[in-house]
Amino acid sequence: QVQLVESGGGLVQAGGSLRLSCAASGRTLSIYVMGWFRQAPGKEREFVAAIRWFDSRTYYADAVKSRFTISKDNAKNTVYLQTTSLKAEDTAVYYCAAAKPMAVGYIATSGEYDYWGQGTQVTVSS
């Protein structure tokens, strides 16, 4: 089992920045990729970004490309999501997720992830 704990959410004005963190513990050697998803009220959970653990290759949703950056610290088993130029439509609960080996084509598919954090709220005021 892998446990994920997110932190770093909060209230920020439009145009501002936040850095979200996700600390993994447990059987972390089984992790192939870690990702961030978000879910706004009344909407489905959507892919935000992911990073492949062994080579640090990154993947982004078009909506956040050039504004968000995903990174990791192997020594701390922690993944970060640096958000910049935040917009009101970025308001959501952000979830960290981890997956065992999967085909790259499914990296944006929430159902392919095995472990989930509890989520952290990001609210962007306009």
Side-chain angles (χ1 to χ4, degrees):
Q1 289 286 346
V2 173
Q3 294 78 42
L4 303 173
V5 179
E6 303 103 330
S7 60
L11 174 64
V12 63
Q13 289 188 333
S17 302
L18 282 174
R19 189 176 81 155
L20 308 183
S21 300
C22 174
S25 61
R27 299 188 66 178
T28 57
L29 290 179
S30 67
I31 296 174
Y32 175 76
V33 63
M34 290 188 69
W36 288 94
F37 290 77
R38 66 187 183 187
Q39 188 166 19
K43 295 189 176 181
E44 292 189 354
R45 191 170 297 189
E46 65 175 2
F47 172 75
V48 175
I51 186 164
R52 208 158 56 181
W53 206 252
F54 75 96
D55 64 0
S56 299
R57 182 171 177 176
T58 58
Y59 305 82
Y60 294 95
D62 288 343
V64 306
K65 203 173 295 184
S66 80
R67 297 189 299 123
F68 291 8
T69 302
I70 189 170
S71 62
K72 63 182 177 69
D73 184 329
N74 286 4
K76 297 181 179 180
N77 287 326
T78 298
V79 169
Y80 304 98
L81 185 69
Q82 179 67 54
T83 67
T84 64
S85 302
L86 284 163
K87 307 174 183 179
E89 50 263 43
D90 293 318
T91 294
V93 177
Y94 283 69
Y95 295 92
C96 175
K100 300 173 186 176
M102 68 160 77
V104 168
Y106 293 99
I107 213 156
T109 305
S110 61
E112 294 297 313
Y113 285 74
D114 302 285
Y115 308 103
W116 291 84
Q118 80 287 354
T120 186
Q121 177 71 48
V122 171
T123 303
V124 184
S125 63
S126 55

